[in-house]
Amino acid sequence: MLDYAGLEALAAVLREGSFDRAARKLHVTPSAISQRVKQLEERVGQVLVLRGQPCTGTDAGRRLVLHVEQVALLENELRRHNPELVPEGQVARPTLKLAVNADSLNSWFIDAMSGFTSTGNELLDISIDDQDHTAKRIKEGDVMAAVTASSSHITGCNTWPLGRMRYVAAASPDFVARYFADGVSKEAMAIAPVLTYDRKDGMQDKWLQQQGLASRTAPARHWLPSAHAFVRACEASVGWGMHPTVLIQRYLDAGTLVELRPDTDMVVDLYWAHARNAQAGLERLTQCVIAAARNWLDPLPAAGE
């Protein structure tokens, strides 16, 4: 039988990143946290925490923490529907760890969060990751659910289609006049600075490839890991970038941003995936996510279209 005091300590260490912060979270001493984790590691026969700054979990450690979070979610659902069985105060408020891409988080996903938190007591721990990498986070046990671009089957997960996010290459009129006075060419693109969100962001390079504008010389590149600053930097003529239309349509309408090449948009199909064994506890969140996405995103084409 698993030691739930040890599991609670393990979860706190991995969530907080250190034994000291975990101790403050659980109102015990760091030595008590260390002892609980050590006893749990001895019981399961393997290392669960990689000690460092911050502390991180091994594969086994992350999966055990995911188990703890799923149990807390189920106990919370039990209290919601049968309060006489689990009195208020005897079940901690569960925290759901999710991975969401930045563009979704800065647009439609906030509506999903609002709908979900307004009708429950759960807390959300959201990490930002590229939509092409979030499926891996679920498989590795880092998160319980994620917005992902993966439509393929994810082992141990249920997946729902959300919609299609449309992107356009855009910059300010001044930037276009400065770098593309003679047209958007391969030579001009090699000189014009491009904005890139982070090292996982391949959207700009994919567009260049699709348009036949990629050259052997890598373009000048700004790194800017903020969705809001990304738009503002383009508006301020710092560079050009790929933007979701749900975030910049008003700038396009006002003329403060313009498309580099009209009718060359790219689309990203988005899906919602979560651990199958957490389906009961995540049903309400899933409904909120699907409803919010439906109000913001283009519908996905039917199979065969």
Side-chain angles (χ1 to χ4, degrees), residues 26-55:
L26 298 182
H27 307 291
V28 297
T29 65
S31 61
I33 293 291
S34 180
Q35 186 65 24
R36 291 178 190 180
V37 172
K38 181 180 178 181
Q39 289 174 349
L40 182 62
E41 289 178 326
E42 291 174 349
R43 175 167 291 189
V44 300
Q46 55 186 305
V47 174
L48 301 175
V49 177
L50 300 175
R51 276 72 171 173
Q53 298 294 331
C55 292

Side-chain angles (χ1 to χ4, degrees), residues 32-33 49-50 55 66 86 101 122 144 180 206 222 235 250 269 287:
I33 293 291
V49 177
L50 300 175
C55 292
L66 187 63
V86 188
N101 61 307
E122 298 89 345
M144 200 177 296
F180 306 123
K206 288 178 183 177
H222 297 293
E235 199 180 22
R250 61 191 178 99
D269 294 345
Q287 292 172 351

Side-chain angles (χ1 to χ4, degrees), residues 145-203:
V147 175
T148 175
S150 176
S151 61
S152 58
H153 176 71
I154 303 173
T155 303
C157 292
N158 289 336
T159 305
W160 286 264
L162 293 176
R164 173 167 282 181
M165 186 169 275
R166 195 169 301 276
Y167 287 77
V168 296
S172 72
D174 287 344
F175 186 90
V176 172
R178 185 190 316 166
Y179 290 99
F180 306 123
D182 296 324
V184 180
S185 64
K186 184 181 294 188
E187 294 72 23
M189 276 296 181
I191 299 172
V194 58
L195 297 176
T196 305
Y197 186 85
D198 60 18
R199 266 64 184 178
K200 295 179 180 179
D201 177 14
M203 186 72 69

Side-chain angles (χ1 to χ4, degrees), residues 17-32:
S18 79
F19 284 76
D20 287 343
R21 288 196 293 271
R24 289 195 294 270
K25 182 77 173 179
L26 298 182
H27 307 291
V28 297
T29 65
S31 61

